[in-house]
Amino acid sequence: MVDEITYYPGCGLKEGAEGSEIGFKSLLDFFGVEVREMDDWVCCGVEYSLPIDDLANKIAPIRNLLRAWNQGVEELYVPCSMCYATLKRAEDYVRAEKEDMETINDLMNKEDDYWGGVEVKHSSELFSELIEESDLEVEDKDLNLASYPGCTLLRPDDFSIQDGLFDSLLERVGFVPVDYQEKDTCCGAFFSVHERDITRDRSDSVISSAREAGADAIVLSCPLCEYNLSEVSTLDIPIIYFSQAIGLGLGLEDLGLEYNRTIMKNLLNKLERGNTMMEEKQDVQRG
Amino acid sequence: MSKVTIEKDKIKDISGENLFKCWYCGRCSASCPFTEFMDTPPHRLIRRILKDGTVDESEIGTIWTCAACFECTDVCPVEFDFSKIAEGFRELILRRGDDYHSIDEIDKEELKKMPQILLVSEFRKHTR
């Protein structure tokens, strides 16, 4: 049984996706797991750098892995999908490209050398372990949830989480997972900066497909997906983080739902949970 | 329409991916959620580069409309990674100093609401 873990938050969880972090911590508290935030973390680089000839752009995630390793971390848990993918791919790169790593270690000359060692895991993999080991009994709920793991947890195959993990865990905590056409597609990613019509088209497709399948809410892990589906799409549906969904399934209170961009009222009504305070908090958060 | 000569070897050097692996079967284009926003679907762009060595300027839009979502990578029967080619192609242009977008183009009010990961992501892919 895991009793202590270290996690890498990344910038998203500190501003904009607070709900993901609060939900994550509440869940671990429920399971009696002590949580430690990694020290001295820096930006993960967000996008894993694909060019093979530009080693400087590979440094950001590797620096984080090195620092985690020096702090004695063997398994690093990451709730943000973008950070997860970048760190996970970087660790694989470190282990495979020893020659490049000679240069990269030289470039990071003020720090120790890094040759790999940290296992990067997404937070849902931790929840899965904890839930499997527990003898939880939860009531079934009349709530349909459309999971939306997002590109960075699904592809490329070598770096993906287990297929169907979100759905099986949602079912385990009493929800009804729904299948829908656009479940594995892209939300429109970074096009929401300059080509918003592209992102709007994609995000609208995802939401309408989930709604057609009868979803009451969308459950995701990526703060960029959350922004696109909530702010850029023209359609409405409550959007919550995976940790928050599991927390709702377990009846936990402190899930940071007031930080989410979409309105939670209908979702909480369906779960027959008091929401007056929640609404007020959300109004304050949204200004 | 002005034609642009494509330096195949340089794309290969940057991306590490071999353009000749592609069979032009079109599965990448069928799976890509962004093809409707492209003048030329991914597999046809590869074919044009290999066959003619040049493409129309508008066809380069394909690489700027790739989000690196890896749907194409996932379905390719010969493990050809178009995402890497698109990145190599983008880098080739960006390294000349030709940024595709500038932060000045963003509406100031919208900018305040945009999460950091969105902005970093955009500027990693579209600027140097």
Side-chain angles (χ1 to χ4, degrees):
Chain A
M1 184 84 186
V2 194
D3 52 11
E4 192 190 283
I5 63 108
T6 304
Y7 79 109
Y8 171 91
C11 63
L13 268 55
K14 298 298 177 188
E15 196 180 335
E18 289 91 338
S20 170
E21 186 175 36
I22 296 169
F24 173 71
K25 286 185 172 172
S26 289
L27 265 188
L28 294 185
D29 186 52
F30 174 82
F31 284 107
V33 178
E34 207 170 303
V35 189
R36 192 177 78 84
E37 180 176 326
M38 183 193 146
D39 293 326
D40 298 325
W41 58 270
V42 291
C43 174
C44 68
V46 186
E47 291 281 350
Y48 177 71
S49 176
L50 293 169
I52 58 165
D53 66 340
D54 184 1
L55 303 188
N57 267 341
K58 303 264 189 206
I59 292 179
I62 295 174
R63 198 188 292 282
N64 284 301
L65 294 167
L66 160 67
R67 289 181 182 181
W69 184 247
N70 282 348
Q71 290 164 33
V73 177
E74 288 177 8
E75 286 180 333
L76 185 63
Y77 289 95
V78 190
C80 168
S81 311
M82 297 289 273
C83 301
Y84 161 81
T86 309
L87 294 166
K88 179 102 179 164
R89 293 192 76 164
E91 176 64 25
D92 178 74
Y93 172 82
V94 170
R95 294 181 192 191
E97 303 295 338
K98 296 290 177 212
E99 212 173 298
D100 284 359
M101 281 310 294
E102 299 270 0
T103 315
I104 289 176
N105 278 324
D106 277 348
L107 291 169
M108 302 193 294
N109 64 355
K110 293 221 170 94
E111 304 197 55
D112 296 338
D113 283 1
Y114 184 61
W115 300 105
V118 176
E119 285 295 332
V120 177
K121 291 190 168 179
H122 184 251
S123 51
S124 59
E125 297 176 299
L126 175 61
F127 302 153
S128 166
E129 246 177 82
L130 293 169
I131 289 174
E132 263 173 34
E133 285 171 10
S134 73
D135 46 9
L136 279 177
E137 278 184 31
V138 288
E139 271 177 39
D140 283 345
K141 298 152 197 78
D142 179 24
L143 195 76
N144 299 331
L145 295 181
S147 70
Y148 187 63
C151 302
T152 43
L153 294 188
L154 295 173
R155 293 177 292 269
D157 221 18
D158 291 347
F159 310 103
S160 65
I161 60 165
Q162 188 197 320
D163 231 17
L165 183 66
F166 276 28
D167 282 349
S168 63
L169 291 181
L170 290 174
E171 196 168 16
R172 179 68 181 80
V173 296
F175 294 116
V176 186
V178 298
D179 207 4
Y180 61 108
Q181 185 79 29
E182 297 280 338
K183 189 181 209 155
D184 301 335
T185 60
C186 178
C187 69
F190 51 82
F191 293 118
S192 41
V193 177
H194 287 112
E195 289 94 1
R196 265 174 113 75
D197 54 324
I198 297 183
T199 304
R200 192 170 296 122
D201 178 86
R202 283 274 78 240
S203 294
D204 282 355
S205 298
V206 172
I207 294 180
S208 64
S209 156
R211 288 207 304 207
E212 274 166 33
D216 294 306
I218 289 180
V219 178
L220 45 66
S221 150
C222 176
L224 180 49
C225 297
E226 201 253 354
Y227 171 81
N228 285 339
L229 297 183
S230 310
E231 286 284 338
V232 186
S233 169
T234 56
L235 305 174
D236 285 325
I237 191 166
I239 290 163
I240 56 176
Y241 285 102
F242 185 69
S243 55
Q244 296 174 317
I246 302 293
L248 284 174
L250 300 175
L252 307 187
E253 288 294 330
D254 189 15
L255 296 171
L257 287 162
E258 67 274 20
Y259 287 99
N260 294 32
R261 290 182 169 87
T262 46
I263 305 295
M264 294 296 139
K265 193 173 147 188
N266 292 345
L267 177 67
L268 295 174
N269 276 344
K270 267 211 112 170
L271 281 171
E272 292 170 6
R273 285 179 50 146
N275 60 60
T276 327
M277 250 178 71
M278 165 74 216
E279 273 175 60
E280 281 170 11
K281 269 162 97 180
Q282 200 167 31
D283 283 346
V284 173
Q285 281 301 332
R286 295 165 63 88
Chain B
M1 183 77 63
S2 65
K3 293 272 187 187
V4 183
T5 306
I6 307 301
E7 298 152 288
K8 292 193 280 282
D9 293 344
K10 280 199 179 158
I11 293 181
K12 192 184 169 199
D13 290 345
I14 298 172
S15 67
E17 189 60 297
N18 181 3
L19 282 156
F20 291 95
K21 254 163 65 179
C22 176
W23 288 359
Y24 328 122
C25 72
R27 278 175 80 168
C28 52
S29 304
S31 70
C32 177
F34 301 101
T35 4
E36 62 181 294
F37 299 99
M38 297 169 176
D39 277 1
T40 298
H43 76 289
R44 201 173 295 154
L45 181 73
I46 300 291
R47 184 154 194 268
R48 298 267 280 123
I49 295 173
L50 288 176
K51 194 165 163 279
D52 308 337
T54 60
V55 296
D56 292 333
E57 211 169 84
S58 66
E59 292 177 309
I60 295 178
T62 298
I63 57 140
W64 298 116
T65 314
C66 163
C69 73
F70 303 108
E71 295 214 23
C72 55
T73 315
D74 211 29
V75 298
C76 179
V78 292
E79 297 184 356
F80 174 73
D81 194 341
F82 181 79
S83 306
K84 287 184 182 165
I85 294 290
E87 184 99 337
F89 207 146
R90 282 191 293 264
E91 282 288 306
L92 188 66
I93 297 170
L94 295 172
R95 288 178 192 185
R96 292 183 193 139
D98 302 332
D99 282 354
Y100 185 59
H101 280 306
S102 147
I103 197 157
D104 299 330
E105 298 162 27
I106 311 170
D107 179 89
K108 295 284 175 289
E109 285 308 305
E110 287 297 339
L111 182 62
K112 282 184 204 158
K113 285 192 267 173
M114 289 176 183
Q116 296 97 313
I117 56 168
L118 167 60
L119 293 164
V120 177
S121 195
E122 157 67 16
F123 290 104
R124 285 291 299 269
K125 293 292 182 196
H126 286 165
T127 63
R128 181 80 184 159

